Amino acid sequence: MKAAVLYSGGKDSSLMAVILQRLGYHVELLTANFDVFPSWKPAKEAADNLGFKHQILKANPEILEEAVEKILKDGFPNQGIKHLHNKVLYLAAQNYNLLADGTRRDDRVPKIRLNEIQSLEDTKSVQYLNLAGWGHRTINQLSEKLFKIKKEPTSMKNNSDYEIEIRYLMGQKEGENMASKLFPPHTQSRVIGWREDE
Amino acid sequence: MKAAVLYSGGKDSSLMAVILQRLGYHVELLTANFDVFPSWKPAKEAADNLGFKHQILKANPEILEEAVEKILKDGFPNQGIKHLHNKVLYLAAQNYNLLADGTRRDDRVPKIRLNEIQSLEDTKSVQYLNLAGWGHRTINQLSEKLFKIKKEPTSMKNNSDYEIEIRYLMGQKEGENMASKLFPPHTQSRVIGWREDE
């Protein structure tokens, strides 16, 4: 049984991948890229270090344009990121019977709703799953047990979230100030490999 | 790290237990019982066959009384079962730092809501998790891979769901007809052990 996990190199999607692998799935990690900035690199590095197969999911730059326009119009990133993620789910679903991501219970970005999940599953004949039943405390506890983790300020070079290409395109279109205002600097936890006792 | 899973012997709670075990938790399975009917027996049998530690979580019969009254008043079982489950969660949370159940994305009984989860976690200093991000198709697929499963009509002797003690008490109070009307006969899938290749 093959399963794909949309992968950022962060704790949530890494844990989702480990769960499916330990249940017996052949897991492939996918990192979406819109051909604007090679933000997939840190995710690939994490996947390699964990020993997972990794692929770049090449997506149409127009989807990124749409997301950036939405975010500029809204004045905050949540709906734009959700739009991007939904498009990426449909794209990834073309090639897999089971598709997962690391969405957790207390994610700030709006979660895909039940009716949206049903549409995705019915339209694409796919099973979709995530960590919507798991909170950040459990995910942090498990991640510290399983993974070597590096905490550091997010930069363009150490993060594979959608945010990076959005920022890059927004910086080109509207200047760095706008990008920094909508995506203020923050600290991130990044998976860099297995803990030695795992 | 110890984790408790509220356990019925069904596919959902069995899968939750396996996930936590394979992530490294020492899993203990708990089956609530209200001292009205020994409905915990099939769950204990499943737990034994899978090699998990199993305990009966003795709960106050008054909680069962409240649930039965609610169900008779409502004319359908969902809210009464939810009431029972919430009380059982608070009871189980007293003794564990991590508490899980097999609630899945498409469960018919109303799921514990985000604000209710936050109250439970804050009041009892517990982490709660479930399979709310997983649909029945994925759970069925995995269960067939992992477990020996027996499909059969639900009876008082082969099921450890809350339904059994509710039915029993309702039968005593209102007669068998009322109990059968509110809980019509159905087929169930019950975990009876590991598949040999697992």
Side-chain angles (χ1 to χ4, degrees), chain B residues 16-29:
Chain B
M16 186 78 246
V18 172
I19 290 172
L20 291 175
Q21 188 181 52
R22 294 192 178 180
L23 289 172
Y25 287 99
H26 297 281
V27 174
E28 297 184 10
L29 305 184

Side-chain angles (χ1 to χ4, degrees), chain B residues 83-123:
Chain B
H83 173 74
L84 214 59
H85 187 59
N86 282 3
K87 294 282 187 183
V88 167
L89 283 170
Y90 273 82
L91 187 63
Q94 286 175 353
N95 301 317
Y96 297 90
N97 295 319
L98 193 140
L99 175 62
D101 64 41
T103 303
R104 59 169 202 262
R105 194 176 72 203
D106 39 21
D107 257 337
R108 275 174 306 172
V109 170
K111 282 194 277 285
I112 179 170
R113 285 191 301 263
L114 189 51
N115 62 324
E116 294 170 322
I117 292 173
Q118 282 161 344
S119 294
L120 172 69
E121 291 193 331
D122 293 349
T123 316

Side-chain angles (χ1 to χ4, degrees), chain B residues 158-173:
Chain B
N158 64 12
N159 186 300
S160 296
D161 288 336
Y162 297 127
E163 181 182 329
I164 299 301
E165 280 192 289
I166 294 172
R167 277 194 70 133
Y168 187 86
L169 186 60
M170 199 176 273
Q172 287 189 320
K173 289 167 82 96

